[in-house]
Amino acid sequence: MAKTLMGNVAFFLTTYLLLFTMLFPANAQFAKKTYLIQMDKSAMPKAFPNHLEWYSSKVKSALSTSPEADMDNEERIIYTYQNAFHGVAAKLTEEEAEKLEAEEGVVTIFPEKKYELHTTRSPTFLGLEPEKSTNMWSEKLAGHDVIVGVLDTGIWPESESFKDVGLRPVPSHWKGTCEIGTGFTNSHCNKKVVGARVFYHGYEAAIGRINEQKEYKSPRDQDGHGTHTAATVGGSPVHGANLLGYANGTARGMAPGTRIAAYKVCWIGGCFSSDIVSAIDKAVADGVNVLSISLGGGVSSYYRDSLSVAAFGAMERGVFVSCSAGNSGPDPASLTNVSPWITTVGASTMDRDFPSDVKLGNGKKIIGVSLYKGKNVLSIKKQYPLVYLGSNSSRVDPRSMCLEGTLDPKVVSGKIVICDRGLSPRVLKGHVVRSAGGVGMILTNTEANGEELVADSHLLPAVAIGEKEGKELKSYVLSSKTATAALAFKGTILGIKPSPVVAAFSSRGPNFLSLEILKPDLVAPGVNILAAWSEAIGPSGLKIDNRRVKFNIVSGTSMSCPHVSGVAALVKSRHPEWSPAAIKSALMTTSYVLDNTKKTLRDSSTAKPSSPYDHGAGHIDPIRALDPGLVYDMVPQDYFEFLCTQNLTPTQLKVFAKYSNRSCRHSLASSGDLNYPAISSVFTQKTTTSFPSPVILHRIVTNVGPPDSKYHVVVSPFKGASIKVEPETLNFTRKHQKLSYKITFKPKVRQTSPEFGTLVWKDGFHTVRSPIVITWLPPPM
């Protein structure tokens, strides 16, 4: 009996496993993912009345004819693209995608890709709001006819930053709309927020249906990030803006007369490429002049990056595209969004800080930062016991990071707890401390963060301090059983020196896709930025935070990107005929590299001078950008010629050539000849014993200053190479005249690391500065 039972069980298990192994691969075979399918618009047969029917026919021709597939009545196409990108986004199996890619008329197929967000003193700091002058904000310069599309988490339309008082009627070229949805109606758009759209089909295909109990399935912002970036671009002036009393003053965007169009592409689970490309496609059709995109998803080859391809299409239509560089610094080569037709923005500090003191029982004082403002206040006259649950060893201890469930109330109750940064949100650590009975927190940087301090609106009295001071503090606590401290919050302090400083988190160059294209392009304020916020979430962004604020202070290259987008809108308003390349050139060549102590910009991660791999061309200077004197202009074909130097196959090049039937004219001798405002020379040794040949690069400048202008060149010296510029003088006789010059780099002494310098054209009033990078590459293995 027992043997029979055991035999039956064995038979059942064997049969089950056999069926499982047979069915599982079959199910996997029919699992669908989203793909972006780029089509050659010109290849449509005459038999089709329109491109949509042709696209649909192509997709249907690739669908599986198996019984399992026949049972599936799901609509496959989720988006159609026809402006910055041509084709569709569709849900396909891997086999179907491979079959479709081989079809005639299909240029390429991009698998769905997930992107992440790169999470009001800045106008004054940037010189846009002189203390005793309002001339800058005249009707001519406010950007009334310029529309900036912001791809982000949506918008909180009730914010005072989006009031339209004093604005002229919406520009006639605007073709966009205000989509209605949960908590969002047509009335939420006005002469400031001229449009709002929502994109979620790609997200739902990858993640599942949006939970409308947690998120607004509409342009309304549940997160706060999109409201903050939109207000930074072009928020209307709001007097008395502050976060819990910090940074009190007038909050306004870079271009307060600019119109905003919100394109919601990001959700709790991330941002997906099919949604992003659809938003760019719609934005171009709607009539935006500038696109501000504060998100990224790593680096792919130009032809495999759907965001890059869509941005190329937008640039072809005259749209300036600004993207955040990423928050993966200070690691080298950590950049994202590196295509030359995209303006890549790093982050820097301002001359404003929120200092707090940690006064130790041994008499030592440590200066940190905090945005704490709450009911629980620690007496500055009283010392509180300190506790640190880590050790001096290098072993990671979850308790030292104050992770949830790791703190014993018997140990921390009534004490100030020292918590190491890492693994969990900074403010959440304070919540863990408070829940365990702690009365305060000192948040210490680790090696990954260095000395850079980011202020947070903590839920209990808390101060963030640097790595060096953190080590000294922990040594004090571990060596003394009676260690104590008091916390004091100093409010808002202006005039901080040195500033600006390149943020440690700001992603760095070089651009390994193309060393000849220097990235980032420039830096802008991205640390502790005050701007409008969604009232659906607290300032910490945590669900447990029940506070509601109208403005918030946030850091990231997500914040620096809209600064540049807003200034680009100002330049576009002053010079409506300028191309995206001309605007980018103006921003780069007028940027500065000296801080408010007249020394070279510094790197927060090292406290040493930063390089163009950190700050690009320099720190944005809006006033000078309006009158750059000369610009390095380009047309779309110039960017295509650059791609022709990148060893791409004809099929890969077609990704960028499909709309305008572009072909390589081979006008560039090398990729370094692209008429870029930054200059990068690469010496390549052919063998270990040979010396590199000289590198010759060419540039063309367009006079946008006085008709009769004479410029002379100044080049900084280099150890490893001699540099000759021909001619050394440029004599312009009319406005918009173009003159060319040649730069010859002759190697002298091999260098083991890149060298940095500048090339400057001067006419006595304008200073047109380009960073130079010289790199030595070893011979191929």
Side-chain angles (χ1 to χ4, degrees), residues 328-332 334 347-349 445-453 466-468 500-508 527 601-611 613-615:
S328 299
D331 291 343
S334 52
S348 60
T349 66
N445 279 1
T446 61
E447 184 179 358
N449 319 114
E451 302 308 314
E452 180 172 76
L453 302 179
E467 180 196 12
K468 181 180 177 181
V501 173
V502 178
F505 61 73
S506 185
S507 290
R508 314 304 172 95
V527 178
L601 295 178
R602 301 181 198 182
D603 180 350
S604 179
S605 68
T606 62
K608 296 178 180 179
S610 59
S611 79
Y613 284 166
D614 308 316
H615 60 240

Side-chain angles (χ1 to χ4, degrees), residues 509-577:
N511 167 21
F512 277 150
L513 272 189
S514 306
L515 283 173
E516 294 83 0
I517 303 300
L518 177 64
K519 291 284 182 172
D521 290 307
L522 71 171
V523 293
V527 178
N528 297 332
I529 304 301
L530 177 76
W533 194 248
S534 169
E535 292 184 48
I537 195 166
S540 69
L542 300 176
K543 294 179 181 179
I544 55 174
D545 189 352
N546 295 319
R547 298 171 297 178
R548 293 296 180 264
V549 297
K550 296 181 182 296
F551 293 85
N552 199 8
I553 294 173
V554 190
S555 299
T557 54
S558 279
M559 284 63 250
S560 54
C561 172
H563 277 84
V564 169
S565 306
V567 176
L570 276 181
V571 177
K572 182 70 174 179
S573 179
R574 169 70 75 87
H575 306 284
E577 77 284 2

Side-chain angles (χ1 to χ4, degrees), residues 153-166:
T153 63
I155 197 164
W156 191 263
E158 291 85 359
S159 171
E160 292 182 74
S161 293
F162 304 125
K163 287 186 174 180
D164 63 356
V165 177

Side-chain angles (χ1 to χ4, degrees), residues 246-258:
Y246 289 96
N248 188 59
T250 299
R252 67 174 82 208
M254 295 297 97
T258 289

Side-chain angles (χ1 to χ4, degrees), residues 13 229 265-266 294 336 423 428 449 574 596 718 731:
L13 288 174
T229 55
V265 298
C266 295
S294 290
T336 185
L423 296 185
L428 183 59
N449 319 114
R574 169 70 75 87
N596 57 3
F718 288 79
N731 292 297

